[in-house]
Amino acid sequence: MDTLAPGILLIADPFLKDPNFARTVILLCEHQEEGSFGFVVNKQFDQKLDDLISNVFVPNIPVYLGGPVQMDTIHFIHQMPDLIEGGFEVFPGIFWGGDFDAVVNLVNSQQLDLQKIKFFVGYSGWSSGQLEGEMNEKSWILSSVNTPILFLEDEQEIWRQALRRMGNNFAMMANFPIDPTLN
């Protein structure tokens, strides 16, 4: 797979050193000539949703670090377009955004399947040509979306599973040490 488009997973190369993106998997939600954006799906944030949104009353809903851009914003992806209106379908069955007030009400009334929604602080963004440059530097491995991987509870496994499902050569990368000089 070598085409950047909404619904593609960007899997960080095992040796990518950028601390914002080391061992991450990003769901690419938008890719246009003007730029691109998506969400890191496997880095849990140190606060929960009820810590960030005062009118959320259900405790301990995880929030993920979507990326280093606009850390004062909250976003979400989900698989519930019948309950959450206004979302943008980035991949068949996976939606970005929608009516946030409705989401808060659905969370508080416990009508959402929390295995089918993921919240993010901030996002990952690239200006025009920037992501293509990172692709040329071999910073990212492209993969099609695997919905169950996006919503895995064990965020530590998402990067490994994303590589393993790509086949033998990539599966070996899943076991590479973070710093090979320590071997």
Side-chain angles (χ1 to χ4, degrees), residues 114-136:
L114 296 177
Q115 304 299 311
K116 293 184 176 188
I117 190 165
K118 206 166 205 175
F119 295 93
F120 304 95
V121 168
Y123 66 90
S124 300
W126 295 266
S127 60
S128 179
Q130 185 180 5
L131 185 53
E132 289 82 357
E134 292 179 15
M135 293 299 301
N136 290 336

Side-chain angles (χ1 to χ4, degrees), residues 157-174:
E157 273 302 300
I158 293 174
W159 182 80
R160 285 185 193 93
Q161 290 294 331
L163 283 171
R164 286 182 185 132
R165 73 177 272 275
M166 292 185 65
N168 289 343
N169 291 340
F170 294 103
M172 289 187 329
M173 289 180 178

